[in-house]
Amino acid sequence: MSHPPMPPARHINVGEVTLSVHEAGPEDGLPVLLLHGWPELALSWAAQIAALANAGYRVIAPDNRGFGASDAPHETSAYHVDRLTGDIAGLLDALGIEKAVIAGHDWGGILMWHAACLIPERFLGAVGVNTPHLPRGSKPPTEVFREMGGEEHYIVRFQDEAADGIFKGREADFFDFVFGASFPSADIEKLPPSVTHLPKRFERFIERGGLKSEDDVVVPDDARAEFARVYAKTGFRGGLNWYRNFDTNWERMGGVDHRLAMPCLMISAECDYMLPPKLTAWMPALCKDLEMHVIPGIGHWTQYEAPDELNAYLIDWLRRRF
């Protein structure tokens, strides 16, 4: 595996914070905004940035608030969905863009779907990569995660600010671990609740001597080294603060119409055990104009595991719909 080069970043004041933003493609191209998840950076979209720019699109990929070279306020409340959505609107304003197609993976996908509901007038279309658009549940998300995996569920663990230091000083090992290959699809339904115990699994990974072979990871070594370098500098708190707003965001989205009229594309990964394709079952009821695909044989890190397939779906859909 090799990692495509990233276009240079520039710092853009979006209102409350300044974001580090990578841009590529012609300025008069259709704007496509890419939002990364945890524990990622804009770097995760490198293959998509190159392909979309070469296809004539204006690509915008920020390090989200709390990540990488972007501002990372300390307080948890700074990562409320309204403030993160404000970053998106502020970025589009700063770039002179009225409307864009927005795509998100993992937490970037959660924010993208929420933003599509809260400020739909800013988007031409929405693309979920692994992360589906879901209706608001009947109970706070942390209760659901606690029922799934108990107190050791990683999202429950991350509610405690002590989690900020779990991976400190072991960044290289962490990214060797977290970017590991997925479970086979046939095993997904059989996985025990302990599969969600990410900190404990990481400790066992270290005890076993860490990474044994490059065949055991899906992200190339140069990219993992860059992630480790950046997180050793920034720490993990900013990204974990997104998790600490799960319940407050759930409260905020109460009474918000989750139905979307804009064109929507959903690209799932067959072997993503946390965001399996079956979670997309709600989407036809929520998205009036929906197209869905499943990429077989891959797990959570779709941008790296199936870059060509993902790029093909994105570009084909963009060309047909816009």
Side-chain angles (χ1 to χ4, degrees):
M1 293 185 289
S2 61
H3 195 268
M6 284 286 284
R10 66 182 175 116
H11 286 83
I12 299 176
N13 186 320
V14 301
E16 284 192 347
V17 296
T18 295
L19 299 181
S20 175
V21 183
H22 300 264
E23 300 168 89
E27 285 198 14
D28 61 351
L30 179 78
V32 180
L33 176 62
L34 305 175
L35 301 179
H36 68 81
W38 183 88
E40 299 177 280
L41 302 165
L43 177 67
S44 300
W45 294 107
Q48 288 67 53
I49 293 170
L52 290 167
N54 288 337
Y57 297 99
R58 181 181 181 182
V59 191
I60 305 137
D63 284 347
N64 296 331
R65 176 191 293 229
F67 292 88
S70 292
D71 286 349
H74 185 82
E75 63 274 16
T76 299
S77 61
Y79 299 83
H80 185 275
V81 65
D82 284 333
R83 299 175 80 170
L84 298 177
T85 300
D87 290 349
I88 296 173
L91 177 56
L92 295 178
D93 289 344
L95 295 174
I97 296 171
E98 181 182 356
K99 294 186 177 186
V101 174
I102 186 171
H105 172 256
D106 187 79
W107 253 113
I110 296 175
L111 174 59
M112 180 273 296
W113 291 120
H114 284 353
C117 295
L118 293 170
I119 51 170
E121 68 278 3
R122 301 308 302 264
F123 307 119
L124 297 164
V127 182
V129 180
N130 293 63
T131 309
H133 183 34
L134 296 171
R136 182 176 181 270
S138 60
K139 60 179 72 174
T142 56
E143 288 188 24
V144 177
F145 297 131
R146 188 171 279 108
E147 291 170 1
M148 289 173 56
E151 294 300 322
E152 289 297 331
H153 191 293
Y154 74 101
I155 293 175
V156 178
R157 284 284 304 275
F158 287 173
Q159 301 305 305
D160 187 343
E161 294 192 6
D164 292 352
I166 291 177
F167 312 114
K168 183 177 175 59
R170 302 185 290 177
E171 292 83 7
D173 285 325
F174 172 72
F175 285 103
D176 286 347
F177 162 73
V178 81
F179 287 139
S182 63
F183 300 97
S185 60
D187 296 339
I188 296 294
E189 296 295 334
K190 306 173 188 175
L191 293 172
S194 60
V195 73
T196 65
H197 299 175
L198 187 148
K200 276 195 168 184
R201 289 174 52 220
F202 173 63
E203 296 300 337
R204 290 197 293 270
F205 174 82
I206 295 294
E207 291 169 3
R208 293 195 300 266
L211 184 65
K212 303 299 184 184
S213 166
E214 287 292 316
D215 293 335
D216 297 332
V217 290
V218 297
V219 173
D221 57 356
D222 58 342
R224 300 198 313 276
E226 179 63 8
F227 281 113
R229 183 193 70 79
V230 171
Y231 275 82
K233 180 179 179 181
T234 65
F236 286 81
R237 181 181 175 86
L240 298 187
N241 274 337
W242 288 52
Y243 287 96
R244 292 167 188 150
N245 278 275
F246 250 130
D247 287 355
T248 55
N249 291 347
W250 172 82
E251 292 172 0
R252 167 67 178 90
M253 296 303 290
V256 173
D257 190 349
H258 282 56
R259 295 171 296 177
L260 299 175
M262 69 186 70
C264 296
L265 173 65
M266 181 66 218
I267 302 169
S268 299
E270 179 189 17
C271 304
D272 188 337
Y273 70 88
M274 285 302 295
L275 296 170
K278 67 180 182 181
L279 293 181
T280 65
W282 286 100
M283 290 187 65
L286 296 173
C287 303
K288 181 179 179 181
D289 182 348
L290 175 65
E291 184 173 320
M292 296 196 294
H293 300 279
V294 178
I295 301 178
I298 66 163
H300 187 65
W301 312 111
T302 300
Q303 301 101 307
Y304 286 104
E305 296 184 64
D308 294 340
E309 293 91 335
L310 176 57
N311 294 345
Y313 280 132
L314 288 172
I315 293 170
D316 174 65
W317 182 77
L318 288 167
R319 284 176 173 166
R320 283 187 288 107
R321 300 312 308 272
F322 305 99

